[in-house]
Amino acid sequence: MRAEARHQLKTDKFRGATIDAAERTVHWTVEHQSKLIVAAVVVVIVVAAALGGWYYLIKQDEKASVDFGKATQTMETPLRPAGMPPQPDNPSFASSKERATEAHKQFQAIVDKYPHTRAADFSHYYLGVTSADLGNSAAAERELKDVAGYHNEDLSSLAKMALASIYRSTNRRKEAVDIYQQLIKKPTQMVSKGAAEIELAQTYQAAGLTADAKKQYEQISKEAPQSAAAQIASNKLAELK
């Protein structure tokens, strides 16, 4: 239920209860008018504070979203060829490390400044990604593990996919395989079953487990022969022959 609707429902219930109580306690009201005035002022202050807090959170979300957009643009900024000086009208970076460093700084600023926003949640994911890009596997794993535990299934699945990649790069194949199998059993809009199956097959292939890789690629081709994942699987099978 949207916040406005919840607020309206609470207001309607409060109004009905107040009218009913007023009709049954007219005489008491006259005798205790000063106390009621004080109580009314308190209610007004509490309601105003609640509305103010709700408005504040919306504005925080809006500001965080703007900064988040800038940070993601940084990650997409092109790299310029070696030896080429920066161009004022065309943003670029000299290296992927330089780009990841700047993006990491921007995502960290969002987390620090707007900690209770959706943009901050996604920024934690990108902090993990940029940490991995910078070669800091420990920091990347820490951030991605936290995000993998979020209730947002789409964001959680993205973090799990990235975390599995960290495990693969640090020779922890079993942990990577476990995550891919979890994602295959419970895919999301952000991480499809086919995407997780392809990563699992490639993990087997990279480890030299050719039979397991072939079996996984064949299964992908059989389950969804017209899918993009099936096309990738067919190409990989051709490589393994």
Side-chain angles (χ1 to χ4, degrees), residues 103-166:
H104 188 91
K105 182 174 70 175
Q106 293 176 344
F107 287 121
Q108 186 64 60
I110 294 169
V111 169
D112 293 340
K113 193 173 182 180
Y114 310 106
H116 304 298
T117 63
R118 287 167 292 181
D121 289 343
F122 278 89
S123 291
H124 276 293
Y125 164 73
Y126 279 109
L127 283 176
V129 171
T130 52
S131 291
D133 290 341
L134 292 170
N136 192 342
S137 296
E141 182 176 348
R142 183 172 60 252
E143 287 286 357
L144 293 171
K145 274 185 174 180
D146 286 343
V147 180
Y150 285 4
H151 291 300
N152 183 326
E153 291 185 351
D154 287 327
L155 181 54
S156 173
S157 65
L158 282 175
K160 288 177 181 178
M161 199 74 155
L163 185 59
S165 180
I166 296 292

Side-chain angles (χ1 to χ4, degrees), residues 10-239:
K10 291 178 181 177
T11 302
D12 291 342
K13 290 181 178 179
F14 175 75
R15 185 183 296 115
T18 302
I19 292 173
D20 181 60
E23 290 175 347
R24 290 185 282 105
T25 57
V26 173
H27 298 295
W28 186 91
T29 302
V30 172
E31 294 175 3
H32 300 79
Q33 187 173 10
S34 61
K35 292 182 180 179
L36 277 181
I37 291 174
V38 173
V41 171
V42 171
V43 170
V44 169
I45 292 174
V46 171
V47 171
L51 291 175
W54 174 69
Y55 177 77
Y56 173 78
L57 289 176
I58 289 178
K59 299 307 291 184
Q60 289 290 94
D61 256 331
E62 291 175 355
K63 293 176 182 178
S65 295
V66 172
D67 287 354
F68 182 78
K70 293 178 181 178
T72 53
Q73 284 180 357
T74 296
M75 292 192 69
E76 297 171 359
T77 301
L79 303 179
R80 57 181 179 271
M84 177 181 288
Q87 305 295 316
D89 297 330
N90 295 297
S92 63
F93 289 100
S95 66
S96 58
K97 183 176 181 180
E98 182 184 52
R99 179 173 60 189
T101 298
E102 177 59 26
H104 188 91
K105 182 174 70 175
Q106 293 176 344
F107 287 121
Q108 186 64 60
I110 294 169
V111 169
D112 293 340
K113 193 173 182 180
Y114 310 106
H116 304 298
T117 63
R118 287 167 292 181
D121 289 343
F122 278 89
S123 291
H124 276 293
Y125 164 73
Y126 279 109
L127 283 176
V129 171
T130 52
S131 291
D133 290 341
L134 292 170
N136 192 342
S137 296
E141 182 176 348
R142 183 172 60 252
E143 287 286 357
L144 293 171
K145 274 185 174 180
D146 286 343
V147 180
Y150 285 4
H151 291 300
N152 183 326
E153 291 185 351
D154 287 327
L155 181 54
S156 173
S157 65
L158 282 175
K160 288 177 181 178
M161 199 74 155
L163 185 59
S165 180
I166 296 292
Y167 289 150
R168 282 172 59 177
S169 66
T170 53
N171 298 316
R172 286 181 283 174
R173 185 181 71 249
K174 183 181 183 304
E175 291 170 272
V177 168
D178 287 344
I179 290 179
Y180 291 136
Q181 289 176 339
Q182 290 174 26
L183 292 170
I184 290 169
K185 292 178 181 178
K186 193 175 181 180
T188 66
Q189 290 184 344
M190 299 301 291
V191 178
S192 67
K193 180 182 179 182
E197 287 177 322
I198 287 292
E199 292 298 324
L200 176 58
Q202 290 181 336
T203 300
Y204 288 144
Q205 185 176 353
L209 302 173
T210 306
D212 290 329
K214 281 185 176 181
K215 181 178 179 181
Q216 190 64 53
Y217 287 134
E218 289 169 351
Q219 182 175 335
I220 295 169
S221 299
K222 181 179 179 180
E223 288 180 343
Q226 303 302 318
S227 67
Q231 181 61 52
I232 296 173
S234 297
N235 293 336
K236 292 294 183 179
L237 281 170
E239 294 177 5

